[in-house]
Amino acid sequence: MNDQAERLRTRLKEEDSRNHQVKTIAVVSGKGGVGKSNFSLNFSISLCRTGHRVLLFDLDIGMGNLEILMGRSAKYSIADFLEKNIPLKNIISEGPFGLDYIGGGTGLSHFVKLDAGQISRFTDELADLIQNYDYIIFDMGAGITEESAKFILSVQEIAVITTPEPTSITDAYSVMKHIHLLDGTIPFHLVINRSEGEREGKETYKRISAVLSRFLGRKADLLGIIPDDRTVQQAVKRQIPFILHQGNSAASKAIRNMTEKVGGRPIGHTGEHHSVQFISKLKEFLFNRGEPA
């Protein structure tokens, strides 16, 4: 009887592993300085606080913004995986509320020079890792490079961060256009940061939506509006995530609202998506030396 129960538990565990639906999200922006990394960090912490297992992957290589915002210094980074062959699981650092993160380190060019063996090692180890998480958040560098496009086009969802400033709106549209021309099926989700009010945020969203519809025939939903909140700057100076610095601030409430909107489901339609698809697409793009087509 005990043997039967043990076999049943083992079978259920294996089935749960096969059916695990990790949500992969790339956070992008058209230009730097719009609060992309701050959103990625605080959104990830908020997901952790609601019981989700989250891995935040800093692919803004060489900048180290996530560590600065947390006031922490990771022992290892992705550069150590590439240069010293340290296993991917060993370069994970622990952040607030059980958040796991991988620091960006330095050496973006290493992604271009990966040989077939390194690509296989990276994707195989990543495939094992992601089974431990509900969300993988990729904090991308500003704009799009040939290397970052390979990760962006592999994920299920793309969160685009912009502000109401005209230059930020223009740059955000340019990034979405670039991604759309490479893959017109990945859902866009807009986050309007540093808005002077709800009205300005909604107007910004309407402007971007109108241009997307007119020129690309695309839609983007509004994930949320983060108000221009002075407590955010205070938190940055103190190197504390703002959702922990002032949990009742307007910006923190906006992040929590976005987390509640996401809830226990993917941000958009993901019926056909699975962690296996993410890994297979990423491996295909990494083996392809040119830009994804």
Side-chain angles (χ1 to χ4, degrees), residues 122-234:
F122 176 76
T123 52
D124 288 347
E125 291 190 28
L126 185 60
D128 290 336
L129 268 185
I130 63 178
Q131 298 302 320
N132 299 322
Y133 299 98
D134 302 310
Y135 286 88
I136 311 292
I137 310 292
F138 294 99
D139 181 33
M140 310 302 301
I144 298 181
T145 65
E146 180 180 310
E147 294 76 36
S148 67
K150 297 172 182 180
F151 282 86
I152 294 171
L153 296 176
S154 300
V155 301
Q156 294 165 289
E157 314 283 339
I158 299 173
V160 183
I161 315 301
T162 185
T163 71
E165 296 178 359
T167 54
S168 180
I169 293 173
T170 300
D171 289 341
Y173 169 73
S174 296
V175 162
M176 287 188 281
K177 179 180 178 181
H178 189 156
I179 295 170
H180 171 77
L181 293 176
L182 294 173
D183 186 337
T185 66
I186 306 176
F188 291 132
H189 308 282
L190 284 166
V191 176
I192 313 301
N193 193 25
R194 298 179 192 151
S195 175
E196 291 186 2
E198 190 80 6
R199 181 175 180 179
E200 182 180 55
K202 289 182 177 179
E203 285 299 322
T204 301
Y205 168 67
K206 288 180 181 178
R207 288 175 62 186
I208 297 175
S209 294
V211 176
L212 283 173
S213 177
R214 179 179 179 184
F215 295 105
L216 302 182
R218 284 291 302 270
K219 292 182 179 180
D221 72 2
L222 178 62
L223 183 56
I225 299 169
I226 305 175
D228 192 6
D229 187 342
R230 65 183 181 86
T231 64
V232 173
Q233 298 307 314
Q234 293 173 353

Side-chain angles (χ1 to χ4, degrees), residues 4 12 14 23 75 97 137 145 194 230 265 290:
Q4 280 185 323
L12 291 174
E14 290 174 350
K23 291 92 172 179
K75 184 177 180 181
F97 280 89
I137 310 292
T145 65
R194 298 179 192 151
R230 65 183 181 86
R265 60 177 178 77

Side-chain angles (χ1 to χ4, degrees), residues 20-26 43-48 50-57 99-101 129-138 156-157 258-268 270:
H20 179 64
Q21 296 282 338
V22 65
K23 291 92 172 179
T24 52
I25 304 172
F43 183 71
S44 296
I45 292 174
S46 184
L47 284 171
C48 287
T50 57
H52 295 291
R53 299 166 297 173
V54 182
L55 175 63
L56 178 56
F57 204 137
L99 171 68
D100 285 345
Y101 72 94
L129 268 185
I130 63 178
Q131 298 302 320
N132 299 322
Y133 299 98
D134 302 310
Y135 286 88
I136 311 292
I137 310 292
F138 294 99
Q156 294 165 289
E157 314 283 339
M258 284 184 267
T259 304
E260 291 174 4
K261 182 176 181 180
V262 172
R265 60 177 178 77
I267 293 179
T270 56

Side-chain angles (χ1 to χ4, degrees), residues 73-100:
S73 180
K75 184 177 180 181
Y76 299 115
S77 72
I78 187 63
D80 294 295
F81 170 85
L82 298 170
E83 295 176 346
K84 303 176 183 178
N85 293 325
I86 295 177
L88 204 57
K89 64 180 181 180
N90 290 349
I91 68 173
I92 295 175
S93 299
E94 185 176 346
F97 280 89
L99 171 68
D100 285 345

